Amino acid sequence: MSMPAVVNYKAEKHCVELRELDVPEFGDDEVLLEVGNVGVCGSDLHQWTNDQSWPVNYPVVLGHEFCGTVAKVGRRVDGFREGDRVVSETAAVIDPDSPMTRRGLYNLDPSRKGFGYGVDGAMTRFVRVPARTLHAIPDSLPFESACLVEPCCVAYNTVVGNVRIFPGDRILVLGPGTIGILCAAIAKLCGAEVAIVGLEKDRPRLDIAMQYGCSTIVGDARDWALQRDAMGCDGVVDAAGVGPTMKIALDLVRPAGWVCKVGWGAPSDGFTLDPMIQKNITVQGSFSHHWAIWERVIALLSSGALDVRPIIGGVWTLDQWQTAFETMHSGQIVKAVLRP
């Protein structure tokens, strides 16, 4: 039996195409998951344009934001059965003996390989998934929302797991992409005043951020950052993934404040971390997520406390993948979703 799959096949620009692949074999500790929906991530776009900063195991099926129904279970799988509705974490391969894995921080295991770049991902009909990465989801959570649990977990780890937000804090988010808007939304849930910053071309996405109760800024955010007491904002999330934004973050955060960087990007020439010293700033990186974060985010989505529907700009079939990629890459929408 064959199935269509969106495959990144070579380390060159736009080397992605729809191919027919065999349904994968799966092991005793794995399930065969029938994909319900899969989100298009900025990292998928980076691999499509071949400007990613991580190694890719070509050829590879793209897609790591996914949910679906368990189609078959391996012999040693316990706790899941055929027909279960689930979402999957992204850490497809980890070293169980790694010191980070033993601490529960398998997302930081140096040997970790993720779906969509290290092993085949979910932009297809069936994907093999380790049972340890699965989380059950209720019937009340639609697949179109459930496939975005993963970026919500990235955002949750950024503004809850790696920094501390107090009610009344003023938080600035740089970059109105999926992660930036979700960071802003979760910071609002923590009780912060939040502004999100973009460029003129980002106005459609900034309009989406307003639906989460955020202030929106095109261009210079200095006036907003200094508004309360002229010292700067309490924290800055750098979700833009470009070099100059870190300089902006260090400039606009208050003394003894924090900057959390979650966006990937090329380094900026002439950049210095000296303001971090002078202002006694905490600079924190944030990468991926782990089991406890997934359970918390599923609860937030299931209860309606966090709603991802505003960021979904459309749902496309697999054979329309290029239209979905191009529409999202242009900035017309925040998030594209595919349906096998």
Side-chain angles (χ1 to χ4, degrees):
M1 178 179 174
S2 65
M3 59 184 188
V6 180
V7 178
N8 184 195
Y9 59 89
K10 190 164 54 174
E12 295 179 12
K13 189 173 183 178
H14 295 162
C15 283
V16 173
E17 64 183 12
L18 197 66
R19 292 183 174 181
E20 287 291 322
L21 302 180
D22 291 335
V23 172
E25 300 290 333
F26 61 98
D28 290 342
D29 298 307
E30 298 176 320
V31 307
L32 186 67
L33 182 69
E34 184 171 11
V35 179
N37 284 108
V38 53
V40 179
C41 179
S43 64
D44 297 312
L45 299 182
H46 280 303
Q47 287 180 221
W48 175 54
T49 55
N50 193 40
D51 58 3
Q52 76 278 359
S53 58
W54 51 89
V56 177
N57 185 25
Y58 301 102
V60 68
V61 179
L62 292 174
H64 62 268
E65 302 176 358
F66 64 99
C67 61
T69 305
V70 175
K72 295 182 180 180
V73 297
R75 184 171 55 87
R76 289 196 295 263
V77 172
D78 186 26
F80 294 98
R81 60 185 180 182
E82 293 179 12
D84 284 350
R85 302 174 80 252
V86 294
V87 289
S88 173
E89 298 184 32
T90 57
V93 178
I94 58 172
D95 177 2
D97 296 320
S98 162
M100 302 313 296
T101 301
R102 287 177 177 271
R103 289 179 57 190
L105 299 175
Y106 50 85
N107 55 308
L108 303 180
D109 170 19
S111 67
R112 171 190 181 275
K113 291 182 175 65
F115 292 105
Y117 73 88
V119 303
D120 283 338
M123 288 187 185
T124 186
R125 184 179 176 190
F126 292 101
V127 59
R128 57 182 289 192
V129 180
R132 62 169 173 79
T133 69
L134 296 176
H135 296 258
I137 55 173
D139 292 341
S140 59
L141 185 60
F143 279 157
E144 286 181 14
S145 295
C147 72
L148 301 188
V149 171
E150 195 276 340
C152 291
C153 289
V154 171
Y156 189 98
N157 196 32
T158 301
V159 299
V160 177
N162 281 308
V163 297
R164 188 173 182 184
I165 294 177
F166 294 89
D169 277 355
R170 287 172 66 80
I171 305 300
L172 191 65
V173 178
L174 306 178
T178 300
I179 300 302
I181 291 176
L182 290 174
C183 283
I186 294 173
K188 287 288 294 183
L189 288 178
C190 294
E193 296 179 44
V194 182
I196 186 164
V197 186
L199 304 175
E200 184 66 36
K201 67 178 182 179
D202 295 320
R203 285 191 183 274
R205 298 191 295 180
L206 290 170
D207 289 344
I208 299 298
M210 291 178 65
Q211 297 184 41
Y212 290 98
C214 302
S215 300
T216 58
I217 300 168
V218 173
D220 191 358
R222 178 171 296 277
D223 287 347
W224 190 90
L226 301 179
Q227 190 178 88
R228 180 175 288 175
D229 60 7
M231 297 299 291
C233 49
D234 297 285
V236 180
V237 175
D238 180 2
V242 294
T245 51
M246 195 63 177
K247 183 179 186 300
I248 295 170
L250 294 174
D251 184 40
L252 297 183
V253 72
R254 69 193 297 108
W258 55 261
V259 173
C260 194
K261 181 169 175 56
V262 62
W264 295 65
S268 179
D269 292 340
F271 177 71
T272 175
L273 285 174
D274 285 355
M276 177 185 71
I277 303 167
Q278 184 180 21
K279 296 168 73 172
N280 203 60
I281 297 164
T282 299
V283 175
Q284 174 72 50
S286 185
F287 177 70
S288 193
H289 29 64
H290 51 73
W291 188 91
I293 291 173
W294 279 73
E295 288 293 302
R296 189 60 56 89
V297 166
I298 291 169
L300 287 173
L301 289 170
S302 300
S303 70
L306 180 62
D307 185 1
V308 295
R309 289 175 295 179
I311 70 170
I312 299 174
V315 180
W316 287 265
T317 56
L318 277 185
D319 61 346
Q320 299 170 317
W321 72 267
Q322 188 165 350
T323 301
F325 277 37
E326 290 173 348
T327 305
M328 185 171 162
H329 190 257
S330 71
Q332 298 175 53
I333 62 171
V334 177
K335 173 65 70 173
V337 171
L338 298 179
R339 182 182 66 250

